[in-house]
Amino acid sequence: MKNIFGVVISADAEPNDKYDHSIHPGISLQTVISRLQDSDYSSPQRFWQECKDRIWMAGLNSYIEGYQSINVGCVTYELPTLEKPNDN
């Protein structure tokens, strides 16, 4: 019985945020180098799971994505923002 754990590794960019990581997780080589631990290479399944779960992103998942408009002369730029939700 064979198990295949496919991972898409890009040279320098993270995959689009709409990319479905459930079957073949995508990750940049820089993230692999900077975020994964030695133990994450212990098996193909472990490596695949870490690339899929991205535990280092857990803290950001609760933030709300938005945009802030900035006017410079007659040009308006929309800069992406993250807003911490109110914990009521």
Side-chain angles (χ1 to χ4, degrees):
M1 181 169 150
K2 282 187 183 177
N3 291 322
I4 297 174
F5 299 97
V7 175
V8 176
I9 300 177
S10 67
D12 59 359
E14 291 294 320
N16 183 294
D17 62 351
K18 294 177 180 23
Y19 178 77
D20 180 8
H21 293 267
S22 62
I23 298 172
H24 299 293
I27 193 167
S28 74
L29 181 58
Q30 185 58 43
T31 301
V32 169
I33 292 168
S34 64
R35 296 291 184 171
L36 297 184
Q37 306 296 315
D38 289 344
S39 61
D40 298 331
Y41 301 100
S42 61
S43 73
Q45 183 175 8
R46 172 74 184 259
F47 180 77
W48 178 87
Q49 193 69 50
E50 291 301 316
C51 292
K52 180 178 172 285
D53 292 347
R54 299 173 157 262
I55 58 173
W56 57 89
M57 298 289 288
L60 292 176
N61 290 336
S62 65
Y63 282 73
I64 300 166
E65 295 180 34
Y67 292 91
Q68 178 180 359
S69 296
I70 304 288
N71 295 316
V72 178
C74 61
V75 178
T76 301
Y77 297 94
E78 288 190 340
L79 304 177
T81 62
L82 290 177
E83 184 178 326
K84 189 172 184 172
N86 295 331
D87 295 327
N88 293 335

